[in-house]
Amino acid sequence: MVTDPSNNKAPMDDDLRVSLAGTGHLDRNPLWAQTIIYLILVGLGLVTLLPMVNVLAVSLSEGYAITQNPLMLLPHDFTVEAYKYIFGTQVLLKSFGITVYVTVFGTFLNLVFTITGAYGLSKTHIPGYKLLMWLIVIPMLFGAGLIPYYLLLKNLHLLNTLWVLIIPGLVAPFNLILMRNFFWNIPESLEESARLDGASELQVLWKLIIPLSKPVIATVGLFYAVGHWNDFFSGLFFISDNSKWPLQVVMRSIIIDQNMMNMGSGPSQSGDLTKIVVSQQNIKAATIIFAIVPILLVYPFLQKYFVKGIMLGSVKG
């Protein structure tokens, strides 16, 4: 016999629980409220997605069709000439290689220094712990400004080198604190048992802490990788040699300054220039898609760690 759900003396029958769940009676919000929430979320998702769909459609359309239908969601007179053009330009491909190198190698160095620093700061008994924390927190709140920052990089001989894209942001204070909080959640008894077995601090970190910290490492690594990939500020202000520009700076020159003539090379430039004048919007849209797709392909592989890493690293206990 099915008992009243409000009666605590007997458990609710499974069939009744399923039927109530289907009508929304077991949910915190009624069915109509959840419907409104879902509709709002779908609307916000479309607002975020539609501009990207429009850029993709523009990159695959003829030049005259873009003028007639600037807000298209599907390609008009499908063509891939814009992609053929950007893949045939040495400047853009070289800048893409620079960005890939900075993103991969820079993220690796970021994780090495952030993991080791967070592991040390997770030990609150070390001498000078409070002073170290203040030295980490204060730069999050105050900055010296662009001119002192530029003079510092100049004195360190980092200007016009790829190191200027990596070294200044080697450790982000927020990511360091996030990872330190995650390490706090690992029971100290595990580390003590490893030390009793003769493990050194480096072995404890490498064989115990890092394997248990894959969610936060993936999360912080994604933060660093996206930061390197989207960084145009460093290349724009601190690299005057355009042969060392990362992809984002070259893309800015194409989109904002409309400096596309320098992308052509060799005898085929004159033929390409006619194509660029006719369909500048194609080139801009194709360059944007070319820049965002690689980093988007990385996210699905790290998605399962992302939320877990944020939640477990945000609180202690």
Side-chain angles (χ1 to χ4, degrees):
M1 179 177 180
V2 177
T3 59
D4 187 357
S6 62
N7 187 2
N8 297 327
K9 295 182 180 180
M12 185 184 301
D13 186 84
D14 291 338
D15 295 335
L16 179 59
R17 183 180 297 275
V18 172
S19 62
L20 289 176
T23 58
H25 290 294
L26 292 182
D27 296 324
R28 181 179 299 180
N29 297 318
L31 184 60
W32 64 269
Q34 288 196 14
T35 303
I36 294 177
I37 292 173
Y38 290 149
L39 290 176
I40 294 175
L41 292 177
V42 169
L44 293 176
L46 290 176
V47 169
T48 304
L49 183 62
L50 289 180
M52 188 178 299
V53 175
N54 174 249
V55 173
L56 178 62
V58 169
S59 69
L60 296 172
S61 301
E62 291 281 351
Y64 73 91
I66 298 172
T67 304
Q68 298 174 356
N69 303 281
L71 299 179
M72 65 179 70
L73 296 180
L74 294 175
H76 289 248
D77 297 328
F78 181 86
T79 179
V80 293
E81 290 298 324
Y83 290 96
K84 291 181 179 180
Y85 176 79
I86 64 174
F87 281 114
T89 56
Q90 296 300 320
V91 174
L92 194 64
L93 294 180
K94 184 176 181 179
S95 66
F96 177 78
I98 291 173
T99 299
V100 171
Y101 171 79
V102 170
T103 301
V104 174
F105 185 63
T107 302
F108 171 76
L109 291 181
N110 291 140
L111 290 177
V112 169
F113 282 89
T114 302
I115 290 172
T116 52
Y119 179 69
L121 290 174
S122 66
K123 314 302 177 186
T124 56
H125 60 274
I126 61 175
Y129 171 79
K130 292 185 178 180
L131 176 62
L132 290 173
M133 287 303 303
W134 276 109
L135 293 177
I136 293 171
V137 173
I138 289 177
M140 296 177 62
L141 306 176
F142 305 99
L146 180 59
I147 295 177
Y149 185 50
Y150 179 88
L151 294 176
L152 174 63
L153 296 178
K154 181 179 179 181
N155 293 331
L156 294 175
H157 304 288
L158 293 177
L159 297 180
N160 273 326
T161 66
L162 295 184
W163 289 110
V164 78
L165 304 175
I166 300 175
I167 297 298
L170 199 58
V171 177
F174 173 81
N175 294 337
L176 182 65
I177 294 174
L178 180 68
M179 190 169 291
R180 183 208 61 166
N181 291 346
F182 189 96
F183 289 166
W184 268 356
N185 290 311
I186 299 177
E188 294 184 3
S189 58
L190 294 177
E191 299 181 30
E192 293 174 358
S193 62
R195 294 189 183 95
L196 290 175
D197 292 335
S200 63
E201 288 294 337
L202 186 59
Q203 290 175 326
V204 171
L205 175 62
W206 179 255
K207 296 184 178 180
L208 180 64
I209 301 299
I210 291 180
L212 294 175
S213 305
K214 290 181 180 179
V216 74
I217 291 175
T219 301
V220 171
L222 183 62
F223 287 163
Y224 279 125
V226 172
H228 284 301
W229 188 268
N230 292 331
D231 181 25
F232 77 95
F233 180 88
S234 300
L236 183 64
F237 285 95
F238 307 130
I239 298 181
S240 57
D241 184 0
N242 56 14
S243 64
K244 298 179 181 179
W245 278 354
L247 178 62
Q248 302 301 331
V249 179
V250 174
M251 189 173 70
R252 176 190 177 278
S253 179
I254 297 171
I255 296 173
I256 298 179
D257 299 336
Q258 297 185 4
N259 183 18
M260 294 184 231
M261 294 187 179
N262 292 331
M263 294 176 60
S265 61
S268 63
Q269 183 175 2
S270 60
D272 287 337
L273 286 177
T274 304
K275 193 178 301 180
I276 296 172
V277 172
V278 173
S279 57
Q280 289 186 0
Q281 297 299 324
N282 296 79
I283 306 297
K284 294 178 182 180
T287 306
I288 294 173
I289 296 297
F290 177 72
I292 64 176
V293 166
I295 200 67
L296 287 178
L297 296 178
V298 175
Y299 182 76
F301 298 99
L302 302 177
Q303 183 180 10
K304 62 180 179 180
Y305 299 109
F306 189 78
V307 176
K308 185 178 179 181
I310 288 294
M311 295 301 295
L312 293 181
S314 58
V315 294
K316 183 182 185 302

